[in-house]
Amino acid sequence: MILTVTLNTALDITYRVRALRPHASHRVSEVTERPGGKGLNVARVLAALGHEVMVTGFVGGATGRAVQEQLSATPGVVDALVPVTGATRRTIAVVDDHTGDTTQLNEPGPTVTPAEWSAFQQTYEDLLTPAAAVALCGSLPPGLPVGAYAGLVRAAKAAGVPVLLDTSGEALRRGVAARPDIIKPNADELAELTGSHEPSRATQDARRRGARAVVASLGETGLLALTPEGRWRATPPTRLHGNPTGAGDAAVAGLLSGLVEHLPWPDRLTRATALSAASVVAPVAGEFDRGAYEELLGRVAVTGEVTAA
């Protein structure tokens, strides 16, 4: 079983409009709602790949009930979310059909009390027992200490469970110092962490800060990985147009599934890159186009070398 943690869950609402224009009224052609937050997106992709997944994090209010109702209809995903008094946030994605661009509006999330945080930590430690791997994903809701992820990383390592961290800002900086097995920043997050805008140098710096392996998402150009076993670059064969929201989450699912299946790093990166690209042409985050994914698997280019890095 794979455990995903989404401390700031959401109800993702996607609007499609013909063309998005500032200061104008728009007629929405399509509306979709899905359980959201990075860890829930990761979980849905993992379940579609055939893995059993348990999800935890915070959930509350009418929006939280909607999230849980939709999760209950997702095969392979087990709900272990922890209730809070505040209301789960909503995220709004507006897709411009003319340009293919997406505009994202993210609410902050509920304020979590110290008692609620303490209850969650106990639940999390209990859920680590059956877990083969854990992913800690997304932003921190108001009320949580900035070092929250660092504590969760340390708990996973104490339990002997491999842990992947996918967050940003000070939460990432603190979390890296707790020595997670994998971090998966995008280019901007990696530059913010290290101060370097050169990806190769930045991944080396991120490993020196404590991460065992660094897999950086470089947008449409693919993934760059620096691990104890080697360094690799994985590049998709073509750019796919669509909604990029959730592409990084699909890559995390690929890395986690490869980890628990004991795949070598080049195969993990191939899967993660193909899933990320195939998610762009799916209608909402947390899904991927299976036909595109299977076609891309044989065409992702992975270059690099085994090293003693």
Side-chain angles (χ1 to χ4, degrees):
M1 182 270 290
I2 298 173
L3 176 64
T4 73
V5 176
T6 312
L7 296 178
N8 210 3
T9 57
L11 182 66
D12 284 348
I13 303 169
T14 303
Y15 295 139
R16 301 194 74 93
V17 299
R18 179 175 297 178
L20 182 62
R21 302 185 309 278
H23 316 298
S25 296
H26 297 79
R27 186 176 297 277
V28 176
S29 61
E30 181 182 354
V31 181
T32 57
E33 289 187 357
R34 293 290 189 279
K38 294 177 73 65
L40 297 189
N41 293 338
V42 171
R44 298 212 318 274
V45 174
L46 283 168
L49 291 171
H51 289 275
E52 180 184 358
V53 192
M54 185 168 289
V55 297
T56 192
F58 296 111
V59 68
T63 307
R65 289 192 293 274
V67 167
Q68 290 185 292
E69 287 172 4
Q70 294 194 34
L71 276 178
S72 68
T74 306
V77 176
V78 178
D79 177 357
L81 293 166
V82 176
V84 292
T85 55
T88 296
R89 67 189 177 127
R90 297 162 297 178
T91 66
I92 311 296
V94 183
V95 180
D96 184 320
D97 286 335
H98 177 68
T99 65
D101 292 336
T102 300
T103 299
Q104 191 84 15
L105 303 172
N106 297 326
E107 295 180 355
T111 298
V112 178
T113 68
E116 290 167 339
W117 173 230
S118 179
F120 172 81
Q121 289 174 283
Q122 183 59 59
T123 297
Y124 171 74
E125 291 182 10
D126 293 342
L127 293 175
L128 287 172
T129 301
V134 58
L136 308 174
C137 303
S139 62
L140 297 176
L144 288 193
V146 72
Y149 278 133
L152 299 183
V153 169
R154 286 191 289 268
K157 293 182 73 65
V161 180
V163 55
L164 183 153
L165 178 62
D166 184 13
T167 187
S168 60
E170 189 62 23
L172 175 59
R173 190 180 307 277
R174 300 284 187 94
V176 167
R179 300 187 177 278
D181 294 274
I182 306 171
I183 63 169
K184 197 221 64 65
N186 61 32
D188 290 339
E189 292 162 350
L190 185 62
E192 183 182 9
L193 173 66
T194 65
S196 174
H197 291 271
E198 201 290 304
S200 181
R201 181 181 304 159
T203 53
Q204 293 178 34
D205 187 13
R207 277 206 71 210
R208 285 194 293 268
R209 290 168 183 260
R212 179 172 172 79
V214 181
V215 181
S217 294
L218 303 180
E220 63 191 52
T221 62
L223 301 174
L224 176 65
L226 181 62
T227 81
E229 292 79 22
R231 63 187 75 212
W232 293 275
R233 181 72 178 264
T235 308
T238 185
R239 180 183 179 185
L240 299 179
H241 296 276
N243 180 4
T245 306
D249 304 332
V252 168
L255 295 172
L256 280 173
S257 63
L259 170 66
V260 299
E261 294 172 29
H262 306 291
L263 297 181
W265 269 104
D267 291 344
R268 297 187 206 180
L269 296 168
T270 295
R271 179 180 293 181
T273 302
L275 279 171
S276 180
S279 74
V280 172
V281 295
V284 293
E287 298 181 1
F288 63 95
D289 184 295
R290 188 168 293 274
Y293 166 63
E294 293 175 353
E295 192 270 339
L296 286 164
L297 272 176
R299 300 178 60 207
V300 171
V302 178
T303 58
E305 59 182 354
V306 175
T307 69

